Amino acid sequence: MIKRILPKFSGVFYLSFLCFLAFTLITLSACDLAKNQIKPDRGANLEMQDFRDGLAPRLPEVNKDASYNSSSIPALQPYMAQGTQNMKSMPLVSLSVNQTIPLRDVLFELAKQADYDLELDPLIRGSIIFTARNRPFDQVIERISNAAGLRYSFNDDVLRVELDTPYNKAYKIDYLSYIRTNKGSVRNDIAVVSGDGADTGSSFEAISESEADFWGELDNALTQLLDAERGSLKTKKDPRIVATEQNPDVQAVAPVSEDGSVLVQAPQAVLRVESLPVDGEDSGSSNSKEEKIKQGFSINKHAGLISVYASERSHKEVAEYLEIVRRSSTAQVLIEAKILEVSLNDEYVTGIDWASTGLFSGELITNFFNDGSLLGTITPDIFPIPTGTVISGNTNFAVGYNGNDIHALIEAISGFGSVRALASPRMTVLNNQSAVLNVATNQVYFEVDIDSTTDDGVTQVDVDSDIRNVPVGVLINVLPSIDLKRRTISMAIRPTVTSIDEQISDPAVAFVVANTPAAAGIISNIPQLNVQEIDSVVQLKSGQAIVMGGLLQDRVAVNEEGVPVLSEIPVFGALFRDHSDLLIKTELVIFLKATILDSPEESIHNTDRDLYRKFSSDRRPFKL
């Protein structure tokens, strides 16, 4: 009996074990499938908490290890620059000459005094008045060359001096070959009644226009530099040496030789050096060749090359000017903006109390406006919003903040109500180049034109519609101007926030449709926009933040609840329904921070790199 029961018991046990194993596998698979389905990003295996952690505010980075890394310390460099080890020290020379000594003789004497070999251009003419006492030889040569319109070069122990005649040299400038024009205007026209003797209301319009024509302005600047006349301190000719007889009216007694013959005696002469050169025809004049050759330049915009044909002195001025232009035109500024909407609590219906935030410390800027014009400013700081600021919207107040801690200020204003972020852009902009950020939806509507004609009792309707659109969202226009020396930024800013309150039917279309049965069903609704914008010019230091606020708005939310059917009974239906009108007062707050970038890498923070690596899912990632 026992032998027969055991095999049956074993078979049932194995069967139960297999069922249990299958049930476990199915349950685990279902759990994994359900867990995978609820993940927001299944491809990257990221859950909602991963996104919360990635977008959470970062704490300031603290260097816990204060010890220096020896690998980051650059190697020591030789004190003397390469290529100058074989040059001997410049000797000290002294010189005092006037216009009686030719310039060639001066250079020859200096080279001899300094023990240098000399290569001298034979076309050098004229003389100068010059003194030097115990000065280095190269400095004396440089001074003489600048005064006399010469150029020189040292090659080991050989000095070469020649006329500063024009020669070609190419300069490289990387800049786009285009012209950019920006136009903008803000207009307020308050005129309900118009006509002869009935004009009322007021109007105001601010128009701004800018044009960026880099190559055109560079062409004008180079033309002015190369066409300028540059004189020299040397004379045009060599001093003239004339031999004159001494006492020509006195006859000398001729000596007699031993044999009685009369000896011929040369007259006594004196060498007279004229201190001032005499003007006249002299083909060897040092300026005769320079006056026949005109300096010039040519620009290749597509290659970014400037070919300049000019003297060495002009080349130095051109190179210095192009370097200044390059630094200014390639300077960049990082602009960070935050546009917030604060739903104010009941006790703050008059707006945010900026003084109670405790963050300004004497840096509060208060501006009062009337019809868009700045009336007055109360500011203890040195960066007020300048006169001419234009405010558009239902407000007459704006506030500026010159602090640097934006996150602390956002935390402070959150105590006045719930804060909602409308946009938080970051833009890198070139100096004097406008940037436009458009985070909006183009709301489409149609302008309908209906033309109805009746001929022999037959009505013909012609309908013509033009598509129109209005942006609904956030628009930011910025034009920065960077002062690299003072580390300040002047900006023309124009943030705009638009929304649609309602749509209004075109009465002209409604009238035509009502009187034309063939046009029944045609509707033309025009959106009614709510616009909140600020057009201003501000100045701030690099890394500082400003805040503009005071754009208040009232919103009415109607909520009605009731018992079905009973709430619709006339008169008595009000007993079965609840009607509430909720007034919401909001204030628009705009933060703006600008930072001058000394290098493009500064626009990328370590937080940006972490977010990119974790959430980009890029198979070929950039090297940030």
Side-chain angles (χ1 to χ4, degrees):
M1 292 295 293
I2 296 176
K3 293 182 179 179
R4 293 180 180 177
I5 293 174
L6 286 175
K8 292 182 179 181
F9 177 78
S10 299
V12 174
F13 176 77
Y14 289 139
L15 181 61
S16 301
F17 177 74
L18 292 176
C19 293
F20 175 76
L21 182 61
F23 176 77
T24 303
L25 294 176
I26 294 174
T27 304
L28 293 177
S29 300
C31 292
D32 292 340
L33 181 60
K35 185 178 180 180
N36 190 31
Q37 290 291 336
I38 64 175
K39 288 185 177 181
D41 192 346
R42 289 182 290 173
N45 195 25
L46 296 175
E47 298 181 355
M48 186 60 67
Q49 187 60 37
D50 296 327
F51 287 91
R52 295 192 185 98
D53 296 339
L55 299 178
R58 298 294 198 271
L59 296 176
E61 298 180 359
V62 179
N63 185 13
K64 298 181 180 180
D65 187 8
S67 60
Y68 292 96
N69 186 6
S70 60
S71 61
S72 62
I73 301 177
L76 296 177
Q77 301 296 326
Y79 177 75
M80 296 183 62
Q82 295 182 358
T84 62
Q85 289 86 345
N86 297 328
M87 292 185 62
K88 65 180 182 180
S89 58
M90 285 293 171
L92 300 179
V93 295
S94 298
L95 183 67
S96 179
V97 296
N98 54 24
Q99 287 182 308
T100 61
I101 302 178
L103 183 58
R104 288 178 298 182
D105 296 342
V106 173
L107 295 174
F108 184 83
E109 180 63 27
L110 284 174
K112 181 180 179 181
Q113 189 178 148
D115 195 19
Y116 266 74
D117 294 339
L118 180 64
E119 295 178 358
L120 195 61
D121 188 351
L123 295 177
I124 296 177
R125 295 288 188 272
S127 60
I128 62 174
I129 300 175
F130 185 85
T131 61
R133 297 182 181 88
N134 294 325
R135 298 291 182 181
F137 177 55
D138 56 343
Q139 293 184 9
V140 174
I141 295 297
E142 181 179 2
R143 288 171 55 190
I144 293 177
S145 299
N146 293 334
L150 307 175
R151 64 170 177 261
Y152 70 97
S153 62
F154 284 99
N155 186 10
D156 293 335
D157 293 343
V158 179
L159 170 63
R160 180 183 178 89
V161 184
E162 55 189 330
L163 291 177
D164 192 11
T165 55
Y167 61 93
N168 276 313
K169 187 176 181 180
Y171 299 88
K172 186 73 168 70
I173 290 186
D174 296 322
Y175 204 86
L176 295 176
S177 176
Y178 82 134
I179 300 176
R180 192 173 188 179
T181 303
N182 304 291
K183 296 181 180 180
S185 64
V186 176
R187 181 178 181 181
N188 297 322
D189 193 355
I190 307 173
V192 179
V193 180
S194 62
D196 295 338
D199 292 335
T200 60
S202 61
S203 63
F204 173 81
E205 185 176 7
I207 301 175
S208 59
E209 183 176 352
S210 65
E211 183 180 73
D213 186 6
F214 175 81
W215 294 105
E217 296 173 358
L218 183 62
D219 187 285
N220 295 334
L222 293 179
T223 300
Q224 181 181 6
L225 283 175
L226 297 179
D227 286 350
E229 296 184 359
R230 296 172 177 84
S232 61
L233 299 181
K234 69 174 181 177
T235 61
K236 294 182 178 180
K237 303 176 183 178
D238 289 334
R240 180 177 298 177
I241 302 176
V242 181
T244 58
E245 296 183 11
Q246 186 178 12
N247 299 324
D249 297 334
V250 178
Q251 297 295 330
V253 179
V256 180
S257 61
E258 296 179 354
D259 56 359
S261 60
V262 179
L263 298 177
V264 178
Q265 184 180 7
Q268 295 181 359
V270 177
L271 297 179
R272 183 169 59 87
V273 181
E274 297 179 356
S275 60
L276 294 177
V278 179
D279 293 335
E281 295 183 358
D282 187 1
S283 59
S285 174
S286 60
N287 285 348
S288 61
K289 184 176 180 180
E290 298 179 41
E291 294 172 353
K292 298 178 182 179
I293 301 177
K294 186 177 181 180
Q295 301 181 137
F297 67 96
S298 63
I299 297 178
N300 190 330
K301 299 179 182 178
H302 298 285
L305 287 177
I306 304 175
S307 179
V308 179
Y309 181 71
S311 62
E312 185 179 65
R313 182 179 178 181
S314 297
H315 276 295
K316 290 180 180 179
E317 295 179 356
V318 169
E320 182 179 358
Y321 174 77
L322 292 180
E323 177 62 21
I324 297 175
V325 170
R326 185 197 63 80
R327 289 191 67 242
S328 178
S329 61
T330 59
Q332 298 185 87
V333 58
L334 174 63
I335 299 175
E336 302 172 82
K338 291 184 182 294
I339 301 179
L340 308 176
E341 187 182 58
V342 184
S343 298
L344 299 172
N345 298 331
D346 294 339
E347 60 269 28
Y348 300 110
V349 292
T350 58
I352 298 175
D353 185 6
W354 296 99
S356 65
T357 58
L359 295 175
F360 294 96
S361 301
E363 294 181 346
L364 180 64
I365 299 175
T366 308
N367 297 273
F368 299 94
F369 299 87
N370 183 21
D371 297 332
S373 301
L374 182 63
L375 293 181
T377 299
I378 302 175
T379 168
D381 201 18
I382 60 174
F383 291 107
I385 299 177
T387 303
T389 302
V390 180
I391 301 294
S392 177
N394 55 346
T395 182
N396 60 350
F397 171 76
V399 64
Y401 170 56
N402 289 318
N404 194 24
D405 194 350
I406 295 182
H407 296 287
L409 194 55
I410 294 176
E411 291 292 334
I413 66 175
S414 63
F416 298 92
S418 58
V419 181
R420 183 168 67 99
L422 301 181
S424 182
R426 298 176 64 197
M427 299 177 290
T428 302
V429 189
L430 278 176
N431 187 21
N432 290 316
Q433 291 292 335
S434 62
V436 180
L437 177 70
N438 189 347
V439 185
T441 301
N442 284 333
Q443 185 71 26
V444 178
Y445 67 97
F446 297 90
E447 288 185 356
V448 180
D449 183 14
I450 302 177
D451 186 12
S452 176
T453 59
T454 303
D455 188 10
D456 296 334
V458 179
T459 303
Q460 182 178 358
V461 179
D462 295 330
V463 180
D464 185 15
S465 64
D466 295 330
I467 187 171
R468 297 286 187 268
N469 63 78
V470 292
V472 178
V474 179
L475 300 90
I476 300 177
N477 300 327
V478 180
L479 179 62
S481 179
I482 305 172
D483 188 341
L484 294 175
K485 186 177 181 180
R486 297 176 54 209
R487 305 292 292 182
T488 59
I489 305 165
S490 300
M491 286 194 301
I493 56 177
R494 188 179 180 182
T496 305
V497 179
T498 61
S499 61
I500 295 180
D501 285 347
E502 59 179 333
Q503 291 189 346
I504 301 176
S505 177
D506 189 347
V509 174
F511 175 80
V512 174
V513 170
N515 293 276
T516 307
I522 299 178
I523 301 175
S524 178
N525 292 329
I526 309 299
Q528 181 177 344
L529 282 180
N530 176 39
V531 180
Q532 294 177 288
E533 67 178 350
I534 296 177
D535 192 323
S536 178
V537 179
V538 298
Q539 186 185 58
L540 63 158
K541 294 180 180 179
S542 176
Q544 275 193 328
I546 61 173
V547 57
M548 294 171 286
L551 296 174
L552 302 177
Q553 183 182 12
D554 293 334
R555 295 179 182 175
V556 179
V558 179
N559 185 23
E560 187 171 307
E561 298 178 353
V563 179
V565 181
L566 296 178
S567 61
E568 300 176 2
I569 299 176
V571 182
F572 297 100
L575 300 174
F576 300 95
R577 64 175 178 264
D578 182 23
H579 180 86
S580 62
D581 295 333
L582 179 61
L583 178 62
I584 302 176
K585 199 172 191 68
T586 61
E587 180 173 353
L588 192 68
V589 181
I590 301 172
F591 297 93
L592 204 64
K593 180 180 179 181
T595 306
I596 298 176
L597 300 179
D598 296 320
S599 62
E601 294 79 9
E602 295 181 4
S603 63
I604 302 176
H605 194 265
N606 291 332
T607 303
D608 303 324
R609 295 184 175 92
D610 296 339
L611 291 175
Y612 177 76
R613 296 189 189 101
K614 188 172 184 179
F615 298 102
S616 66
S617 300
D618 192 353
R619 298 180 62 184
R620 300 181 62 184
F622 292 109
K623 185 178 180 182
L624 298 180

